[in-house]
Amino acid sequence: MFLSLCPTFAGAAQTEEKAAIDIPEIVLEHISDAYEWHIYTYKGKAASIPLPIIVRSSSTGQWYVGTEKNLPAQYFFNEERHGKIYERLDDGTTVRPLDLSITKSVAQIWIVVIILIALFLSLARWYKKRDEQSAAPKGFVGCMEMLVMMINDDVVKSAIGEKHYKPYAPYLLTVFFFILTTNFIGLLPIFPGGANVTGNINITFLLALFSMIAINLFGNKEYWKDIFWPHVPLALKCPIPLLPVIELVGVFTKPFALMIRLFANMMAGHAVILSFTCVIFLGWTMSVGFGVGLNLFGVVMLLFANCLEFLVAFVQAYVFTLLSAVFIGLAHKEEE
């Protein structure tokens, strides 16, 4: 992120040396989704990769497929609505058209999916050439085997139980490696990294929704019995169903907590790194003394924040997988 911001600030500094740097605006711009992949800005000129815009008009029903450069005049980017595409109708009102555009976050997800498919297909080919008598894998293959065994044995199997864990292991392993790879690539300062995918609440909502389906759709009768008729004194569930209502609310609050935890931690991490990057350039708009002092402070804190965010990227993937496995395990309670 630091490298990707350097050309942007350098160009701004040459055009307006003493201009104030709007840190909140810069941070929000870099962590929000976009219809193009910004590479750098130098001397007022921006270099970016245009992404496909696919919208359907609410008034005529016609589709537009193209890029931002050739966007019809009826469409515009509404800055008050996070830069999303809106359509201006003949009567002057504005509406949100059907938008199936390939945004920066979507493109980043595709990149992650391609990386994971290529990675695990290559690992599968490696294992096909070996048998049980072969030596234990080393290097990258050994590291991946360690991660898979750690999640499968220490997280999924131990949380769900040996009787029920196998149907859920593929999903939970996929979730772990998807979040982990997305988080790591998001820390890269240049293309194909830098997108704030897991810091997008739409993405974390969908991941939490999948976990909610896995928890509740396949929960056994003991799980649902414990929700609607828990083992508590009768006064707590009849005639006023106090405990059943609380348990039913918990069905939704568990995945909600998964969604918010992943979203908040990853968005905050990106915001902190970008803020310390801005501090480096903020000092030079004041004076040389401030520039040198804030440079040293900013670089040290930026390195610390990047190292911390690298750890957080792994921890958040692990915690999301662990809690999903724990909640799934609670949905397979043994009959008491």
Side-chain angles (χ1 to χ4, degrees), residues 107 130 137 174 243 245 252 254 262 320:
R130 270 75 178 176
T174 301
L243 256 297
V245 169
F252 302 97
K254 289 173 185 175
L262 180 59
F320 190 98

Side-chain angles (χ1 to χ4, degrees), residues 255-271:
F256 180 79
L258 290 176
M259 174 186 72
I260 295 299
R261 179 183 287 106
L262 180 59
F263 159 72
N265 280 282
M266 298 313 301
M267 186 190 70
H270 280 257

Side-chain angles (χ1 to χ4, degrees), residues 172-288:
L172 293 171
L173 283 166
T174 301
V175 166
F176 172 77
F177 282 104
F178 172 78
I179 296 176
L180 183 67
T181 307
T182 303
N183 289 349
F184 282 165
I185 291 181
L187 294 176
L188 293 176
I190 56 175
F191 180 84
N196 186 34
V197 175
T198 47
N200 186 324
I201 200 166
N202 297 304
I203 307 301
T204 59
F205 168 78
L206 193 61
L207 291 172
L209 179 64
F210 289 154
S211 290
M212 181 180 176
I213 293 172
I215 294 165
N216 296 286
L217 188 61
F218 305 106
N220 60 17
K221 64 179 182 180
E222 187 67 23
Y223 166 71
W224 289 108
K225 179 184 175 183
D226 211 32
I227 290 177
F228 293 107
W229 196 256
H231 299 281
V232 295
L234 185 63
L236 294 176
K237 53 189 178 184
C238 183
I240 300 176
L242 180 62
L243 256 297
V245 169
I246 294 175
E247 292 290 340
L248 187 61
V249 170
V251 170
F252 302 97
T253 55
K254 289 173 185 175
F256 180 79
L258 290 176
M259 174 186 72
I260 295 299
R261 179 183 287 106
L262 180 59
F263 159 72
N265 280 282
M266 298 313 301
M267 186 190 70
H270 280 257
V272 168
I273 292 174
L274 290 165
S275 298
F276 282 127
T277 305
C278 293
V279 167
I280 296 174
F281 297 92
L282 180 63
W284 295 109
T285 64
M286 301 177 183
S287 66
V288 175

Side-chain angles (χ1 to χ4, degrees), residues 137-148:
K138 300 178 181 179
F140 180 73
V141 178
C143 179
M144 292 300 297
E145 181 177 297
M146 179 196 69
L147 280 175
V148 171

Side-chain angles (χ1 to χ4, degrees), residues 53-70:
I53 293 178
I54 306 170
V55 291
R56 181 180 182 274
S57 173
S58 299
S59 57
T60 63
Q62 294 182 340
W63 288 88
Y64 168 75
V65 180
T67 60
E68 179 182 345
K69 183 178 180 181
N70 300 316

